[in-house]
Amino acid sequence: MSEPSAGGGFDLVIRGGRILTAAGIGPGEVGIRDGRFAAVEPLGAGLRGKDTIELDPGETLIPGLVDTHVHVNEPGRTEWEGFASATRAAAAGGVTTILDMPLNSIPPTVNLAALAEKRAAAAGQTFVDVGFWGGAVPGNLGDLRPLHEAGVFGFKCFLLHSGVDEFPPLEADEMEKDLAELKTFDSLMIVHAEDARAIDDAPHAEGDRYARFLASRPRGAENLAIAEVIERARRTGARAHILHLSSSDALPMIAVAKRDGVRLTVETCPHYLTLQAEDIPDGATAFKCCPPIREASNRELLWKGLEDGIIECIVSDHSPSTPDLKDLENGDFGVAWGGVASLQLGLPLVWTEARRRGIGLEKVVDWMSRGPAELARLARKGRLAPGYDADFSVFAADEGFVVDAYKLHHKNPVTPYQGKALAGVVRRTFVRGREIDGRQPAGRLLRRGEA
């Protein structure tokens, strides 16, 4: 299939036996013109371009992944991660678009001035396309519409302490007022859903025992908060999204809410799908994240939630910090930063686990590309089809590697996946038809409605 004007003279043509389109994986030829896919034809169509790429038999052309949950931390905490390092890592992992979270940078993205600072910090140093979420915090109700009009893709809130004092949580009634405001311009509220009171009543997390940390963030805290989000979204009619679902207990009520017409979407993350509490050593604070990595039985049900369509997408929740903040020497889960760094590794992590379960690469890419793109209403991202941005990577699905944190592009070499054997290597990544070389930043800063 081609655009009506696509007759020939493409800037780039790619051909091979494994092209992933909406029809599945099969032989084909792809023509790119002016940074967009202009033709997708059967192999042998004879498309011609200024440049041509012939895929090796073991390579698959896949649409670029979209990661809507990334903490870049610049400005203010650039030593944790910055736009150059984060987007270089994204590209190396086949991710061609990221949306940056509004907290952990200073200032947080809760008003127009902060958004301007964020964009200024990012300008000229992004290797992939970057958009921004706004933040919903106590007292900034009047900032929501201006931020929306300035191009943020939606708004994040917490229902408990966020981990940084400059981004305070909302009470449920405040969240409902913000949801009602977002409904007036059809924006999206994305929610870190853990109930503060339930966590206050749980055991404290100090010490090196992972089991104690897990008990400090019980499933019930997630379940209560998700129920609250569902009811407030039901009352207001606004769009709401559950971030980083880790509690499989919540899946039935999420499914019922969706059947009832509540405008609710859900994501989960590679660490909840590939790791399990039973295997985490005491003192291994590289594994600490909030909500926590839970038991193997819980993990199995999250996979079922994906296959059943209750969970729409898989995103990284890349939340890095400096090694000292992870308290690696002492291994105290009570004081270590709660976040997993995995932006570069998401695709091979999920693919390794998925193929063990007999799940095809098509589904994995759908969850990690089309799903997040639709969540953020990125109309030209997430598909390999005419009219879409020519964002793609060349993926060797059967090639293996062992994770070495010191060879990743993340700013700090801290990962729970150190030494893990994975399947799937991203060999090349392109944004709008241009190969990312890791030296010349060519990413764009995206605005809602223009992307």
Side-chain angles (χ1 to χ4, degrees), residues 184-208:
T184 66
F185 44 88
D186 197 28
S187 189
L188 173 68
M189 182 71 86
I190 63 176
V191 186
H192 182 122
E194 289 182 282
D195 184 81
R197 293 175 184 84
I199 287 177
D200 286 344
D201 290 339
H204 293 289
E206 69 269 12
D208 66 354

Side-chain angles (χ1 to χ4, degrees), residues 20 22 37 63-64 366 369-370 373-374 380-385 388-389 391:
L20 199 168
F37 295 118
D366 193 60
S369 186
R370 181 200 56 80
E374 290 188 356
R380 295 201 300 268
K381 304 290 189 183
R383 294 177 188 265
L384 203 161
Y388 283 74
D389 285 350
D391 301 346

Side-chain angles (χ1 to χ4, degrees), residues 57-302:
E59 295 178 337
T60 305
L61 190 72
I62 65 173
L65 306 187
V66 177
D67 194 335
T68 52
H69 196 150
V70 178
H71 294 268
V72 175
N73 307 325
E74 185 176 4
R77 292 191 175 99
T78 310
E79 68 275 14
W80 295 16
E81 193 75 275
F83 283 103
S85 56
T87 56
R88 192 180 281 112
V95 177
T96 52
T97 302
I98 67 170
L99 294 194
D100 176 53
M101 284 291 164
L103 74 157
N104 298 347
S105 55
I106 301 174
T109 316
V110 296
N111 54 46
L112 289 178
L115 177 62
E117 282 195 55
K118 176 76 78 169
R119 285 187 170 140
Q125 60 167 333
T126 64
F127 291 91
V128 303
D129 288 354
V130 178
F132 303 97
W133 296 107
V137 296
N140 84 325
L141 178 65
D143 294 295
L144 303 183
R145 184 180 288 271
L147 281 166
H148 172 78
E149 292 174 349
V152 302
F153 286 83
F155 297 88
K156 180 176 187 177
C157 74
F158 278 73
L159 295 179
L160 79 171
H161 194 279
S162 68
V164 292
D165 292 338
E166 67 272 8
F167 198 95
L170 295 177
E171 294 290 339
D173 288 345
E174 294 174 301
M175 179 180 66
E176 183 170 343
K177 289 178 183 178
D178 284 359
L179 281 165
E181 173 68 5
L182 299 189
K183 174 66 163 59
T184 66
F185 44 88
D186 197 28
S187 189
L188 173 68
M189 182 71 86
I190 63 176
V191 186
H192 182 122
E194 289 182 282
D195 184 81
R197 293 175 184 84
I199 287 177
D200 286 344
D201 290 339
H204 293 289
E206 69 269 12
D208 66 354
R209 292 184 59 240
Y210 185 77
R212 185 176 178 89
F213 169 63
L214 183 58
S216 77
R217 314 288 293 218
R219 295 189 204 184
E222 240 183 308
N223 303 336
L224 283 169
I226 291 169
E228 192 78 74
V229 173
I230 288 170
E231 288 312 305
R232 305 297 175 135
R234 190 193 306 273
R235 290 182 202 174
T236 60
R239 291 193 295 139
H241 177 73
I242 303 299
L243 295 166
H244 46 51
L245 179 71
S246 81
S247 172
S248 63
D249 295 349
L251 289 168
M253 68 173 157
I254 290 168
V256 169
K258 290 182 174 188
R259 286 198 296 269
D260 288 349
V262 178
R263 301 171 74 194
L264 186 70
T265 50
V266 184
E267 68 184 44
T268 193
C269 307
H271 38 281
Y272 302 128
L273 297 169
T274 64
L275 301 172
Q276 58 191 35
E278 293 90 337
D279 293 340
I280 298 176
D282 289 342
T285 50
F287 290 83
K288 180 182 176 180
C289 55
C290 300
I293 296 157
R294 302 192 188 278
E295 303 84 355
S297 58
N298 182 84
R299 183 184 67 177
E300 298 309 304
L301 290 171
L302 291 178

